[in-house]
């Protein structure tokens, strides 16, 4: 009779952020006690991509996708688990963070003065290149798609205006809380 494989950890399917590790631990049993058992893990898209350890530990998944991890056990007579244990690992993309680097705080200027804006992005998934969208209500120009606009923004009308920077990563995920 073939042995049976069980994935102990994670105990159920998981959803993780890209770049987050998942800890794997397995167990094998054989109804005829034909020991030792050998283990064969497959981690498609993971690092490492496979393991022969019962407890391979942390496996890193960097790319957003759905992965099916499997564990197959073989007994000492060569009988192999016919229904390997599996876990579904869903890796999601995290949004980038938009950062206005200049000016470093809210500012007050005289009517007709210009402001130089610069920006940057951080992304937990490191999914460059990033696209930048600036909105300058009340300013001229009123928008820009450059990370660091090459022209100053001039404010000719008195008032309070909120400039906004939204960064989008290469997977087309935009910062939900623009700077």
């Amino acid at each position: 009779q073939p042995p049976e494989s069980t994935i102990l950890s994670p105990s159920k399917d998981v959803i993780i952020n890209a770049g987050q590790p998942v800890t794997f631990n397995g167990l094998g049993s054989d109804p005829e006690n034909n020991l030792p058992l050998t283990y064969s893990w497959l981690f498609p898209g993971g690092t490492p991509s496979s393991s022969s350890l019962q407890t391979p530990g942390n496996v890193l998944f960097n790319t957003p996708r759905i992965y099916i991890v499997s564990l197959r056990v073989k007994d000492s007579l060569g009988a192999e688990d016919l229904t390997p244990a599996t876990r579904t690992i869903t890796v999601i993309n995290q949004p980038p963070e938009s950062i206005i680097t200049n000016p470093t705080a809210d500012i007050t200027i005289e009517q007709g003065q210009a402001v130089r804006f610069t920006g940057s992005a951080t992304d937990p998934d490191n999914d460059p290149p990033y696209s930048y969208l600036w909105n300058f209500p009340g300013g001229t120009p009123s928008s820009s798609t450059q990370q660091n606009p090459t022209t100053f923004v001039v404010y000719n009308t008195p008032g309070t205006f909120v400039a906004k920077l939204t960064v989008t990563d290469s997977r087309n995920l935009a910062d939900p809380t623009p700077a």
Side-chain angles (χ1 to χ4, degrees):
Q1 292 183 338
E4 175 99 12
S5 59
T6 304
I7 296 176
L8 301 174
S9 174
S11 60
K12 59 184 179 177
D13 296 342
V14 295
I15 299 173
I16 62 167
N17 294 317
Q20 184 178 344
V22 178
T23 303
F24 288 92
N25 180 18
L27 181 65
S29 61
D30 187 67
E32 299 162 333
N33 209 27
N34 292 321
L35 304 177
L37 300 175
T38 57
Y39 296 84
S40 177
W41 289 90
L42 293 178
F43 306 110
T47 304
S49 61
S50 63
S51 177
S52 60
L53 300 174
Q54 178 180 346
T55 303
N58 285 341
V59 176
L60 197 61
F61 294 89
N62 289 318
T63 304
R65 248 184 69 187
I66 297 174
Y67 301 97
I68 306 295
V69 170
S70 64
L71 170 62
R72 188 177 296 264
V73 178
K74 190 184 286 188
D75 69 19
S76 63
L77 299 178
E80 199 168 330
D81 184 358
L82 301 175
T83 56
T86 63
R87 286 289 179 270
T88 301
I89 310 300
T90 302
V91 182
I92 59 174
N93 185 20
Q94 298 179 84
E97 180 70 26
S98 309
I99 303 165
I100 296 176
T101 54
N102 189 62
T104 58
D106 294 342
I107 60 171
T108 301
I109 62 171
E110 297 292 324
Q111 181 178 345
Q113 282 188 308
V115 179
R116 177 68 176 234
F117 287 91
T118 60
S120 67
T122 60
D123 187 357
D125 305 322
N126 193 26
D127 289 325
Y130 306 110
S131 60
Y132 296 81
L133 177 60
W134 289 93
N135 288 299
F136 307 115
T140 303
S142 62
S143 66
S144 176
T145 57
Q146 297 175 346
Q147 177 181 353
N148 300 313
T150 56
T151 59
F152 286 87
V153 178
V154 178
Y155 290 90
N156 289 315
T157 307
T160 301
F161 304 100
V162 179
K164 181 171 75 170
L165 171 61
T166 304
V167 175
T168 302
D169 68 16
S170 64
R171 296 182 187 280
N172 208 30
L173 185 60
D175 183 355
T177 57

